[in-house]
């Protein structure tokens, strides 16, 4: 179903975003990798070795005009934008009473507004195509909160509201929008934790292990392929949060 389609994945030069790019490429999807600071040539080579086209576009998705340029360039170079994965995200942790306004704003602007920015521009293309799948990467923290992550949790909870509203607005035109909420996944983002903190995290996970980027990627592929699921949040968290 994804063969020959085009997927735009934000923040995909490493971590979960890169795993999503690989998983979609394995399904025959042409890939647009968005990155902010830098990308290694081997990232692009890994994707093209899977027999699909791969385009890397530098842009900061927190900027409305840069997100527009990203989506426009993807459409111009690849011919369509069929799947949009809003994966780019940052953390700037700190207790609420010590959190600066700048740290609150930058996390909201990247994680939440970034997803709005790309969706706002990709939706027009998908509406004309009468087809599309938008998948937003939230977090279980957006569902249950986390001490020291008021900005991050707010951005990830906001993504869920954005997802459900987008799903309702675009459903009649054959466009789905869903969220994936990962728990504790082994990437650079969680590598800042020390061994003791990591052990504490995994002890609290029913499946007793951290997840891998590929675990999140397979959930994204499932949602990209399925044409009858929309407005949902799929937790990929080893059972941390059971609704
Ligand atoms: P990483 O830090 O490994 O990757 C995040 C990527 O986002 C980086 O490539 C980064 O690029 C990019 N990025 C950041 N800001 C921007 C921006 N403004 N524009 C474009 N790209 C940007 O994190 P993960 O792979 O772990 O996280 C991926 C997503 O999954 C995030 O949304 C995160 O919140 C979410 N998540 C992760 C969990 C985990 O346990 N790892 C758990 C729950 C959710 P650069 O390096 O150039 O800044």
């Amino acid at each position: 179903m994804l063969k020959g389609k085009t997927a735009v994945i934000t923040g995909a030069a490493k971590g979960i975003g890169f795993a999503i790019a690989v998983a979609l490429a394995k399904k025959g999807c042409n890939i647009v990798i968005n990155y902010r600071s830098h990308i290694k040539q081997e990232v692009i080579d890994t994707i093209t070795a899977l027999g699909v086209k791969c385009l890397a576009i530098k842009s900061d998705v927190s900027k409305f005009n840069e997100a527009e340029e990203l989506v426009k360039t993807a459409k111009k170079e690849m011919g369509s934008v069929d799947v949009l994965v809003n994966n780019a995200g940052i953390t700037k942790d700190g207790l609420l009473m010590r959190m600066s306004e700048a740290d609150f704003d930058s996390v909201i602007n990247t994680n939440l507004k970034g997803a709005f920015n790309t969706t706002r521009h990709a939706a027009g293309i998908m509406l004309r195509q009468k087809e599309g799948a938008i998948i937003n990467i939230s977090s279980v923290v957006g569902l249950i909160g986390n001490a020291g992550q008021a900005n991050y949790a707010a951005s990830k909870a906001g993504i869920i509201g954005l997802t459900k509203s987008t799903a309702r607005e675009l459903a009649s035109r054959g466009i789905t929008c869903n969220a994936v909420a990962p728990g504790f996944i082994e990437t650079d983002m969680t590598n800042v934790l020390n061994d003791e903190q990591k052990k504490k995290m995994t002890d609290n996970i029913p499946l007793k292990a951290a997840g891998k980027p590929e675990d999140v990627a397979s959930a994204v592929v499932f949602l990209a392929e399925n044409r009858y699921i929309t407005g949902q949040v799929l937790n990929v968290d080893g059972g941390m949060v059971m609704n």
Side-chain angles (χ1 to χ4, degrees):
M1 272 182 82
L2 294 170
K3 204 169 165 50
K5 305 270 166 135
T6 298
V8 176
I9 306 127
T10 68
K14 61 177 180 140
I16 292 171
F18 175 61
I20 293 169
V22 169
L24 287 169
K26 282 182 178 166
K27 291 281 177 176
C29 210
N30 295 316
I31 301 295
V32 176
I33 290 189
N34 156 250
Y35 66 102
R36 179 176 59 169
S37 55
H38 59 272
I39 186 165
K40 290 185 188 148
Q41 184 59 39
E42 66 185 76
V43 166
I44 298 164
D45 294 346
T46 304
I47 302 291
T48 50
L50 293 166
V52 297
K53 286 192 247 171
C54 180
L55 181 68
I57 303 177
K58 183 176 165 89
S59 79
D60 177 346
V61 294
S62 70
K63 310 254 166 58
F64 193 70
N65 60 335
E66 289 193 31
E68 179 176 25
E69 206 48 45
L70 163 67
V71 173
K72 272 190 178 167
T73 309
K75 160 88 173 122
K76 189 165 154 257
E77 298 294 324
M78 303 295 236
S80 65
V81 175
D82 306 290
V83 179
L84 169 67
V85 185
N86 286 308
N87 165 80
I90 57 167
T91 53
K92 290 208 172 164
D93 298 351
L95 292 173
L96 178 74
M97 291 303 290
R98 289 196 206 130
M99 188 173 286
S100 69
E101 185 184 6
D103 282 354
F104 187 84
D105 286 349
S106 70
V107 169
I108 296 288
N109 284 341
T110 301
N111 300 6
L112 177 57
K113 187 158 173 274
F116 163 75
N117 289 343
T118 51
T119 301
R120 170 71 177 74
H121 297 296
I125 296 167
M126 290 180 177
L127 283 169
R128 283 190 289 279
Q129 292 171 177
K130 294 193 172 56
E131 192 182 55
I134 301 166
I135 297 128
N136 295 323
I137 307 301
S138 177
S139 165
V140 290
V141 160
L143 297 166
I144 59 172
N146 195 21
Q149 289 197 308
N151 49 1
Y152 183 76
S155 73
K156 295 299 185 180
I159 278 192
I160 292 171
L162 176 69
T163 299
K164 292 182 178 179
S165 304
T166 306
R168 286 186 187 278
E169 283 193 33
L170 304 183
S172 66
R173 306 292 281 272
I175 299 160
T176 60
C177 183
N178 292 285
V180 172
F184 178 47
I185 312 293
E186 282 171 2
T187 67
D188 287 354
M189 188 176 268
T190 48
N191 254 340
V192 294
L193 301 174
N194 62 37
D195 286 349
E196 197 188 324
Q197 288 168 316
K198 284 182 186 168
K199 186 178 178 308
K200 213 172 149 191
M201 290 288 296
T202 48
D203 282 350
N204 286 324
I205 298 171
L207 284 174
K208 297 291 172 213
K212 304 251 181 273
E214 293 73 22
D215 297 320
V216 181
S218 65
V220 170
V221 169
F222 166 70
L223 291 170
E225 284 185 323
N226 193 292
R227 297 288 74 220
Y228 201 62
I229 297 177
T230 197
Q232 303 303 310
V233 183
L234 178 54
N235 297 359
V236 181
D237 63 355
M240 261 167 105
V241 176
M242 297 193 188
N243 299 318

